[in-house]
Amino acid sequence: MSSITEKSSPIVDAAENDSERAQPKETIGEQVPSPEPVRQKWYEWFAPTDTPEERRLILKLDGLIIVFVFLAYWAKVLDSSATSTAYVSGMKEDLKLYGNQLNYLNTVYYVGFIVLQIPLTLLMTRCPVNYFLPAADLLWGVFTLAQYKVSNVTQLYALRFFVGALGGFFFPAVQWYLGSWYKRSELSRRGAIFFIASQIGSMSSGYIQAGAYDRLNGRFGIEGWRWLYIICFGCTVPIAFLGLCLLPSTPDKCNSRFLTSYEICLAQERMASEHRETRQPFTRSKIIAILKGWRLWVLVGFAFFFSQADGVSQNSGLSLWLKAEGYSVGNIDTITTVSPAVTIIASVVCAVFSDVYDAKASLIAITAGLNIFASIVLAIWNVPNGLKFFAFFLSGTADGIAAVVYAWANEICAHSAEERAIVIMDAPRYLIGYNWVIALDVCMLIMLAVLHHFWIREKRLGRA
């Protein structure tokens, strides 16, 4: 007899619980709010209420999902930085790129990023995610490799468009995917591990690409800048095949070779206990309901200010200032890795506090305050160098709340897989001035108050 029949089936239990929840309450004319999860301590990986079977399932999911998305995001950052590195490593002269053509290459990349982000993200919700994500990764690698063969800038424009399109949906797609498997008390930590990959990628890309250029320039008659794209392809494709082998689909349509039938049923029960709805037909009435609801507009408005308010850490102000101060290239490369390191620490701290104390709003507000302080110091500029360094490094905390923001969006939109996909879509980043960052952070705090008001109201009415 199988393990499913030896133990009470999680699906049956979930159905019975749903049946009990569906019984009308005589004294209450509204839905019963879902209970808050029992949260683990900061040093614990599992909640006290997790059964041994749940703990084994969680560890399996971490090995199957988190390992892949971490490596894939690291490779994405490595690939994304290749063009800027190639430009200063000989591509400019070989392809006769002059004037604003590097800016045009970045613009074309973002056009593909923006135009196809929504269609590809929604298409992902209709397809088996365990094939869709690795297949997109594989295509990304192929288009990245093709850039090493270009002979003129027009070919590069076309390839950069498709690279941007295939990269644009990856971040929101993964956040949606994590929200399909993990509970609200588990999401922030996993999201932080995923996000940290981008910081490690930005810290390591310069060293990897510089080493590859120094050792491979001219090998087999191939210029060093072209080798950069070959190296990126070599990193990306094995990871894509790893995803094809490991990734399970979503719990509602899962046939993973690494998960037993009992574990799949257990995963479905876990999501049912979170009121995390499975994928439904994308009908006209559903689209209208999403557009009429507050979640889309409030969350997207908040996400816009959040995604733009990290301009201090995203722009090149620190490296430009260090260069103007006469620092060597080696010192600049070393010093500029401090900001990503700060982001990694902030991400871990925020994720742990979010999962343990459910302090999402407080963490976002504190981080915005730190970023405002850093921006004020840098806007004044005429301050001691020590304070200037502190402000640059402090701004690295801005991205530390990324996992918290997306975990909260997954929780708020738990009732609709399609709405989660639309709301979680990531916004492109722009290089902006310090005064503008201050304004954006203030607007983000205002939107945070609005978002918190609506979410508390939903929980009070039992709709959460």
Side-chain angles (χ1 to χ4, degrees), residues 36-335:
E36 286 296 317
V38 178
R39 298 180 181 272
Q40 63 270 54
K41 294 181 174 62
W42 68 269
Y43 55 85
E44 294 176 329
W45 194 245
F46 306 105
T49 54
D50 288 339
T51 64
E53 291 82 4
E54 280 187 278
R55 298 185 180 199
R56 282 196 294 270
L57 172 62
I58 292 168
L59 287 177
K60 275 192 177 183
L61 293 177
D62 291 342
L64 297 173
I65 297 174
I66 303 301
V67 170
F68 166 75
V69 299
F70 180 92
L71 292 174
Y73 201 19
W74 170 81
K76 283 280 189 297
V77 175
L78 188 66
D79 294 359
S80 298
S81 62
T83 296
S84 297
T85 304
Y87 182 82
V88 299
S89 302
M91 184 174 72
K92 175 182 177 182
E93 292 74 19
D94 287 352
L95 300 185
K96 297 179 173 57
L97 303 180
Y98 300 107
N100 292 319
Q101 287 180 317
L102 179 61
N103 290 332
Y104 297 155
L105 286 171
N106 291 331
T107 300
V108 168
Y109 174 89
Y110 278 116
V111 168
F113 187 106
I114 295 168
V115 170
L116 292 180
Q117 186 182 65
I118 293 177
L120 287 177
T121 305
L122 293 180
L123 178 62
M124 177 206 63
T125 66
R126 305 295 95 194
C127 301
V129 184
N130 54 320
Y131 297 131
F132 194 90
L133 280 177
D137 241 23
L138 188 60
L139 285 174
W140 167 288
V142 170
F143 279 111
T144 298
L145 176 65
Q147 293 174 89
Y148 106 93
K149 291 290 290 182
V150 297
S151 57
N152 58 67
V153 71
T154 303
Q155 297 170 354
L156 201 54
Y157 285 146
L159 293 171
R160 292 299 292 169
F161 174 86
F162 288 108
V163 169
L166 291 166
F169 82 98
F170 181 77
F171 189 88
V174 170
Q175 296 292 345
W176 179 88
Y177 183 41
L178 295 179
S180 299
W181 280 103
Y182 290 102
K183 288 184 175 183
R184 72 184 81 172
S185 59
E186 302 162 347
L187 267 174
S188 293
R189 295 192 195 195
R190 274 75 184 181
I193 293 172
F194 167 62
F195 180 74
I196 284 171
S198 66
Q199 306 305 309
I200 294 177
S202 66
M203 293 171 69
S204 62
S205 61
Y207 300 111
I208 293 173
Q209 291 166 353
Y213 179 83
D214 291 341
R215 290 169 175 77
L216 295 173
N217 187 25
R219 183 73 61 90
F220 304 115
I222 300 174
E223 296 93 338
W225 68 267
R226 296 183 189 273
W227 274 110
L228 297 179
Y229 292 112
I230 298 174
I231 295 295
C232 290
F233 171 80
C235 293
T236 301
V237 170
I239 295 171
F241 280 111
L242 179 69
L244 286 171
C245 295
L246 294 184
L247 287 186
S249 187
T250 49
D252 56 315
K253 296 180 180 179
C254 183
N255 57 355
S256 171
R257 73 187 73 176
F258 299 103
L259 298 176
T260 66
S261 298
Y262 178 79
E263 287 170 333
I264 293 171
C265 290
L266 180 58
Q268 293 169 349
E269 180 191 354
R270 280 163 47 85
M271 292 301 97
S273 70
E274 295 277 297
H275 300 301
R276 200 80 50 80
E277 292 293 330
T278 59
R279 291 177 282 188
Q280 304 294 331
F282 216 130
T283 61
R284 180 182 178 185
S285 60
K286 178 176 284 290
I287 295 174
I288 293 174
I290 292 173
L291 293 175
K292 283 185 175 180
W294 65 267
R295 294 174 178 84
L296 175 65
W297 305 109
V298 174
L299 281 168
V300 169
F302 173 78
F304 169 80
F305 292 115
F306 160 70
S307 66
Q308 304 307 309
D310 63 352
V312 176
S313 60
Q314 291 295 321
N315 68 28
S316 56
L318 176 57
S319 59
L320 292 175
W321 174 60
L322 292 174
K323 184 176 181 179
E325 290 290 307
Y327 284 81
S328 67
V329 173
N331 284 335
I332 292 174
D333 288 340
T334 302
I335 294 172

Side-chain angles (χ1 to χ4, degrees), residues 383-395:
V383 297
N385 282 354
L387 182 57
K388 200 175 295 184
F389 270 117
F390 178 75
F392 273 120
F393 297 152
L394 184 64
S395 68

